[in-house]
Amino acid sequence: MSGGIQSEKEAEFQDHSHVEVADEIEPELEALLHTDTKVGLTSTEHQERLEKFGRNELAEVKTNKLLKFIGYFTDAIAILIIIALIFSAISGDTANCIIIAVLLLLNAAIGFLMEAQAESALDALKSSLSLKTKAWRDSELVEVDSVLLVPGDIIVLRLGDIVPADCRLLGISVTGEASDAGLQIDQSALTGESLPVVKNKGGVAYSSSVVKQGQMMAVVTKTGGNTFIGRAANLISITNEKGHFQKIIGQIGNFLVIVTVVMVLIIFIYLMIIHKAEKPIERIRQVVVLTVAAVPVGLPTVLSVTMAVGAKQLAAKQVIVKRLTAVEEMASVSILCSDKTGTLTLNQLTFDDPWLLDGYSKEDILLYSFIASEPGANDPIEKAVRKAATADVPCLQNIKGHEIPGYRVTSFVPFNPTSKRTQATVTDLETNESFLVSKGAPPTMIQLVGGHNDAIHAVNDLASRGLRALGVARTYPGKPDEWHLVGMISLLDPPRPDSAETVAKCQDYGVQVKMITGDQLIIAKEVAHRLGMQRAILDANKLVEKDVDEETITLRCMRADGFAQVIPEHKYRVVELLQNKGLLVGMTGDGVNDAPALKKANVGIAVHDCTDAARSASDIVLLAPGLSTIIDGITTSRAIFQRMRSYALYRITSTIHILIFFFVIILAREWHMNEILLIFIAVLNDLATIVIAFDNAQISQRPDKWRIGQLIFLSIVLGVCLTCLSFAHFFIAESYFGVDPKAPLSQMQSIMYLHISSAPHFVIFSTRLSGFFWEKLPSWFFFIAVMATQVFATLLVVFGIDGFIAGIGFGAGFGILAISLIFFVFLDFVKVFVFRVWSFELTATLWPTPSRRAKLVKRKEMAVDHQRLVLNVAKLKHALVAVEAINHFTE
């Protein structure tokens, strides 16, 4: 029954998007394919062909390690530090030159090592998944590494084997005899089809497909990048866009660099003019140190470490991060496009709720289906029926083989294309009476029982829901020609047990899941319904209609909950349309048909048992089946995002504070801080802040966004507040305590060092959250690391060091520290106020870019429409109340 019923059902229900790709073989290559099937290639022939055609693997382009390391010196912040290093060397300041060089190299080294660690985890994964295959070599059947196959190799394909290369089926069994039986091959990794396809002699089995039934020898025709999967994977090369995270860090870095350069240049020019070019080397040294102190040298380092720690946490949850910045980008993903077959579903047919006639139960139809099944058949439909029967029918549990307690099958007629059904003659051992049981295609079974209108409606209903149906009928003892319909079995590739929950959790976190499948529309709608999604599934051909404008197609894409009858170009198109609307898109998949879209997406996620092409194109690899680990990815990435944003807000605030204060104090009073003390502040505070990677974080319920305008505005507000406090310290110390700012080893250096070290650094306890700091306290590890730097700074100024810094005593030292802590609480209230009054409307008003103006207009129009809807609903409610009142009065 297996092959025939499957073909019948495929013709009726399965999607028809799959098109057999002609395996075009060049004449030169064809001449190499006529290998003796009993001998195979000789070792010499194999080596020659291996040198000519190369290894049987997809070439993964890797960046030269040296060039990759050099790339860490090309962003705006690094370039500014390099310039500072050059000027420091010119000024002859060896100590500062060494410190700046160490900071620069440390920053690049940490980023490089963290990326390398992620790549090593992926390489280890790939090596653990290396495949073996059986091939004839030198007249012996031996096991070889699949990567060493060459065109002309004779290989053996058996049940469960992953096809290692494109190959032509020879119609010869493993034992050498001619075989007419074909192979059932699962090509879902290439086409997204739910059911296997049958391949006969001369047919082509494509690399990465899976043998589901049968065994046969084949000759390898193409390997590596020349295979069907390899050619399709070449689409990946067209998507090498700059990542979202790099763009954000670039914007922050450019802003800080521009502000720093402008202010430092003004200071330098002023000093040169006032002092009439006196000691220009000394002036260069002063502004270089100020530049190093102001620019967030550690910004890339801290963010890289934070992401690396998150990647390690995800690895423990079976989520391998291939591209480190994908950890941050995952937090901002608002749409997750998920492949259906094998990702949201089990990729295996499963018994669903049957349609039954009165008098029969689910156990009855399963028992009769089992009786009418062909023993040993590996057909997906037969396997689904037998699995359900042995699980749900008590008498069939724990049986061996095809034994049926209480019954004996005396004869069995297997499926054939003419009858389109199986038939078993059964004897009831208790009564010793015989009856017949049959299972087959619905039209055949309905005709067998003499017609049945309810059954016809049931079959149509099942078909409309995308369910595959099989009819089951039986006779009763003494009436062998009188058939009675038992019911209709329904079969479906069901969702994974955790898929519906995962989809619901994604929606709770503000991530919309869009299902993508190569199956028919009706099947996609049924699966979507079972996943708790809306049935708004779009035929993917609607995405490429030539007579429809781009905006309309984009709206279709955004409104749809999924897409059916999809080919690789459609998947890429979906991601592209959503990204054009400014949305960050995640894409999951396991096959070569997913690879281009995985590469195009902001975050490509290769799921369990993915192909090499999918793994190569993705940013994240899931080791556990299904999508449940996606939730771990979302929550962990959002925690990481909060840590990175809090550090960025703190560091920008600190930079603005240092720049404004020293800009004004140098121009107004020609006072500057000891260069070594400035370097101390920059280095120690940034080193302590690296520990933010282990801090407690508040996970957002919505996709995170950087909101650069808000970030910079709040940083300016906090920076200005800190500057006011700095001036208060300076002038109160000078006016009320008689501290001479310009005296040798002045206490002013100690006072301002401790203040500038502590007050901005404590701000990071506030920037951790958008709410008040006490709503989620920092981790002890992070708290101790930050406080340790301030204890060091306090002890340094309390006791002082002869010839370097003056001591100010315990009272002044702890007094300054206490003021910094109290002021941090005040700044926390300022931060909360800014977050509460800030809105997109405010951003669009302050920075009215064309895109923001257009978005603001659209939001206002939507608000008006919403208000109208609310009013109409209110009017309708009033009308209904009035009608009910009239009816009540009339009664």
Side-chain angles (χ1 to χ4, degrees):
M1 173 195 122
S2 58
I5 290 183
Q6 180 185 331
S7 300
E8 176 83 7
K9 294 289 90 193
E10 283 182 29
E12 192 171 354
F13 298 114
Q14 191 176 348
D15 90 273
H16 303 286
S17 61
H18 168 67
V19 177
E20 186 76 15
V21 180
D23 190 45
E24 298 177 1
I25 306 294
E26 299 174 358
E28 182 183 356
L29 180 58
E30 181 67 42
L32 302 177
L33 304 183
H34 302 287
T35 310
D36 189 331
T37 57
K38 296 181 180 179
V39 176
L41 296 178
T42 65
S43 299
T44 303
E45 289 174 328
H46 171 260
Q47 189 59 39
E48 290 174 352
R49 297 187 187 188
L50 187 62
E51 292 175 1
K52 179 178 180 180
F53 294 101
R55 289 165 65 91
N56 178 36
E57 59 187 359
L58 296 179
E60 187 171 354
V61 180
K62 290 193 175 183
T63 309
N64 180 280
K65 291 186 177 181
L66 178 60
L67 294 177
K68 193 169 188 177
F69 183 72
I70 293 173
Y72 286 92
F73 299 95
T74 57
D75 61 88
I77 293 175
I79 290 172
L80 185 60
I81 298 301
I82 291 172
I83 294 172
L85 177 64
I86 294 171
F87 279 108
S88 184
I90 292 172
S91 67
D93 191 345
T94 306
N96 283 340
C97 189
I98 292 173
I99 291 173
I100 295 170
V102 169
L103 286 174
L104 190 65
L105 290 171
L106 183 65
N107 190 39
I110 290 176
F112 178 79
L113 290 174
M114 293 305 169
E115 286 280 2
Q117 190 177 39
E119 289 183 1
S120 297
L122 187 74
D123 290 339
L125 170 66
K126 289 175 66 178
S127 63
S128 68
L129 296 176
S130 59
L131 299 176
K132 302 279 187 179
T133 192
K134 289 287 185 70
W136 284 94
R137 295 273 175 80
D138 296 316
S139 301
E140 291 185 10
L141 187 62
V142 295
E143 188 175 67
V144 299
D145 289 329
S146 296
V147 295
L148 299 179
L149 291 177
V150 296
D153 256 327
I154 302 298
I155 62 173
V156 173
L157 298 178
R158 290 189 175 98
L159 172 68
D161 285 349
I162 297 175
V163 180
D166 283 5
C167 52
R168 184 184 298 163
L169 301 182
L170 297 175
I172 302 174
S173 69
V174 177
T175 55
E177 297 89 8
S179 173
D180 294 329
L183 292 184
Q184 284 191 15
I185 297 181
D186 179 2
Q187 297 186 156
S188 60
L190 283 74
T191 64
E193 295 166 306
S194 296
L195 286 177
V197 293
V198 178
K199 302 266 187 173
N200 296 304
K201 178 181 178 180
V204 178
Y206 295 113
S207 176
S208 294
S209 56
V210 181
V211 179
K212 287 296 185 179
Q213 183 175 326
Q215 51 86 20
M216 191 183 295
M217 287 202 290
V219 59
V220 174
T221 57
K222 294 182 181 180
T223 59
N226 295 319
T227 60
F228 174 62
I229 192 172
R231 295 193 298 272
N234 288 334
L235 287 171
I236 298 170
S237 62
I238 66 175
T239 54
N240 291 313
E241 300 176 359
K242 195 173 184 180
H244 169 260
F245 179 71
Q246 286 90 341
K247 293 176 183 177
I248 294 297
I249 296 303
Q251 291 176 25
I252 294 174
N254 292 340
F255 168 76
L256 294 178
V257 166
I258 291 170
V259 172
T260 302
V261 169
V262 170
M263 287 190 167
V264 167
L265 281 177
I266 292 174
I267 292 172
F268 178 72
I269 293 169
Y270 171 79
L271 290 175
M272 293 296 289
I273 292 173
I274 291 297
H275 295 281
K276 298 180 181 178
E278 179 186 348
K279 298 180 180 178
I281 297 298
E282 178 68 18
R283 306 306 165 206
I284 290 174
R285 187 168 62 85
Q286 290 175 2
V287 297
V288 163
V289 173
L290 178 59
T291 301
V292 174
V295 172
V297 184
L299 180 66
T301 302
V302 173
L303 299 186
S304 293
V305 170
T306 304
M307 288 187 290
V309 169
K312 189 173 182 180
Q313 293 170 349
L314 287 173
K317 298 175 180 178
Q318 295 189 296
V319 180
I320 300 297
V321 177
K322 180 182 174 185
R323 178 172 60 86
L324 207 55
T325 55
V327 176
E328 175 271 340
E329 290 170 12
M330 184 71 179
S332 302
V333 165
S334 58
I335 293 181
L336 179 65
C337 297
S338 176
D339 185 46
K340 176 186 78 71
T341 306
T343 303
L344 290 172
T345 65
L346 293 170
N347 194 20
Q348 61 183 42
L349 285 180
T350 302
F351 182 83
D352 201 67
D353 291 334
W355 175 82
L356 299 167
L357 270 78
D358 292 339
Y360 295 106
S361 66
K362 177 181 176 181
E363 290 183 7
D364 291 335
I365 197 170
L366 282 173
L367 174 62
Y368 298 141
S369 299
F370 187 86
I371 291 172
S373 296
E374 183 177 356
N378 284 308
D379 176 83
I381 293 176
E382 293 284 38
K383 288 174 69 175
V385 170
R386 289 204 303 270
K387 182 178 180 180
T390 53
D392 295 341
V393 180
C395 70
L396 296 180
Q397 294 172 354
N398 302 318
I399 66 170
K400 295 180 179 180
H402 203 71
E403 297 176 0
I404 307 168
Y407 298 93
R408 183 176 68 250
V409 177
T410 57
S411 68
F412 181 81
V413 179
F415 177 89
N416 67 74
T418 304
S419 67
K420 293 185 175 60
R421 66 185 181 91
T422 62
Q423 180 173 302
T425 303
V426 193
T427 299
D428 187 329
L429 298 180
E430 184 177 344
T431 63
N432 205 33
E433 294 179 328
S434 295
F435 61 94
L436 303 176
V437 178
S438 182
K439 177 176 85 228
T444 301
M445 301 308 294
I446 292 172
Q447 184 180 5
L448 182 67
V449 299
H452 201 294
N453 289 332
D454 289 344
I456 293 172
H457 292 312
V459 171
N460 291 335
D461 179 62
L462 292 173
S464 69
R465 294 166 51 204
L467 297 174
R468 295 170 173 85
L470 283 178
V472 178
R474 64 161 293 177
T475 66
Y476 285 93
K479 299 179 180 179
D481 297 325
E482 188 177 322
W483 287 92
H484 297 267
L485 191 64
V486 176
M488 294 288 169
I489 293 173
S490 62
L491 300 167
L492 179 73
D493 176 16
R496 291 182 178 275
D498 60 347
S499 289
E501 183 182 1
T502 301
V503 170
K505 285 184 177 179
C506 283
Q507 292 171 346
D508 289 341
Y509 282 111
V511 179
Q512 181 186 2
V513 179
K514 292 183 181 290
M515 183 179 69
I516 299 181
T517 178
D519 275 333
Q520 271 192 325
L521 197 61
I522 54 173
I523 298 175
K525 286 185 176 183
E526 179 66 19
V527 173
H529 174 69
R530 295 181 182 225
L531 288 170
M533 302 167 63
Q534 299 296 319
R535 297 170 66 102
I537 307 299
L538 185 70
D539 186 326
N541 292 310
K542 298 286 185 181
L543 298 173
V544 291
E545 290 184 340
K546 295 181 180 179
D547 56 344
V548 180
D549 63 272
E550 190 81 354
E551 184 65 24
T552 302
I553 290 177
T554 302
L555 287 175
R556 286 177 179 175
C557 185
M558 293 181 68
R559 290 170 180 169
D561 292 293
F563 308 90
Q565 295 182 237
V566 170
I567 59 175
E569 289 77 7
H570 291 154
K571 296 186 178 187
Y572 187 94
R573 176 76 166 149
V574 168
V575 176
E576 184 179 47
L577 289 170
L578 294 172
Q579 287 179 333
N580 289 343
K581 277 296 182 180
L583 300 171
L584 262 69
V585 182
M587 172 73 187
T588 73
D590 60 353
V592 67
N593 57 329
D594 304 318
L598 288 173
K599 188 71 173 178
K600 174 66 175 172
N602 299 94
V603 181
I605 305 166
V607 298
H608 180 65
D609 283 344
C610 60
T611 61
D612 286 342
R615 192 181 305 118
S616 175
S618 64
D619 304 306
I620 293 175
V621 180
L622 305 183
L623 301 185
L627 281 183
S628 58
T629 48
I630 287 286
I631 303 301
D632 292 326
I634 291 174
T635 53
T636 303
S637 65
R638 290 188 184 179
I640 292 165
F641 183 94
Q642 294 299 330
R643 293 167 188 150
M644 291 195 296
R645 188 171 65 174
S646 67
Y647 172 77
L649 179 56
Y650 147 74
R651 201 59 185 86
I652 298 171
T653 298
S654 182
T655 296
I656 291 172
H657 164 234
I658 289 175
L659 285 174
I660 295 177
F661 175 72
F662 282 103
F663 180 79
V664 175
I665 206 71
I666 290 175
L667 296 184
R669 301 294 298 272
E670 296 184 37
W671 182 86
H672 67 273
M673 185 178 284
N674 184 305
E675 291 85 355
I676 298 298
L677 295 179
L678 273 175
I679 293 293
F680 265 19
I681 293 172
V683 174
L684 292 178
N685 286 9
D686 266 350
L687 284 177
T689 314
I690 288 178
V691 185
I692 198 173
F694 303 95
D695 186 28
N696 297 329
Q698 193 173 57
I699 298 172
S700 170
Q701 287 298 118
R702 311 298 300 172
D704 286 307
K705 293 182 180 179
W706 277 97
R707 296 182 176 88
I708 296 298
Q710 182 192 69
L711 190 70
I712 292 176
F713 178 79
L714 180 56
S715 298
I716 293 172
V717 171
L718 298 178
V720 169
C721 291
L722 285 168
T723 302
C724 293
L725 182 64
S726 297
F727 282 124
H729 275 76
F730 186 91
F731 290 114
I732 289 174
E734 182 183 39
S735 302
Y736 291 92
F737 294 98
V739 178
D740 183 0
K742 295 187 178 180
L745 286 179
S746 170
Q747 287 187 333
M748 187 66 78
Q749 293 281 342
S750 303
I751 293 169
M752 296 310 297
Y753 165 71
L754 180 56
H755 157 68
I756 293 174
S757 174
S758 62
H761 207 199
F762 289 153
V763 170
I764 199 165
F765 291 135
S766 173
T767 60
R768 297 172 55 255
L769 308 171
S770 57
F772 294 106
F773 74 92
W774 60 78
E775 292 177 5
K776 194 172 186 67
L777 296 176
S779 66
W780 281 107
F781 188 37
F782 178 58
F783 178 77
I784 290 171
V786 172
M787 294 305 297
T789 62
Q790 303 317 312
V791 169
F792 169 82
T794 303
L795 294 176
L796 182 64
V797 301
V798 164
F799 295 105
I801 298 176
D802 290 340
F804 175 60
I805 188 169
I808 61 175
F810 279 101
F814 285 101
I816 293 170
L817 206 62
I819 291 171
S820 295
L821 283 169
I822 294 170
F823 199 73
F824 138 72
V825 177
F826 165 74
L827 290 180
D828 195 56
F829 279 88
V830 172
K831 173 209 67 181
V832 172
F833 173 77
V834 171
F835 273 132
R836 287 180 178 176
V837 301
W838 192 274
S839 64
F840 175 77
E841 288 74 13
L842 181 61
T843 307
T845 303
L846 295 177
W847 290 276
T849 62
S851 62
R852 284 176 180 161
R853 283 198 297 266
K855 193 172 181 179
L856 185 60
V857 170
K858 189 172 182 179
R859 283 195 175 191
K860 289 180 178 179
E861 291 175 351
M862 290 177 66
V864 171
D865 291 340
H866 179 71
Q867 188 63 30
R868 286 174 182 167
L869 180 62
V870 170
L871 290 173
N872 289 335
V873 170
K875 289 178 181 178
L876 180 61
K877 286 183 178 179
H878 286 305
L880 289 173
V881 170
V883 170
E884 287 180 1
I886 292 172
N887 290 338
H888 180 71
F889 179 78
T890 303
E891 291 174 357

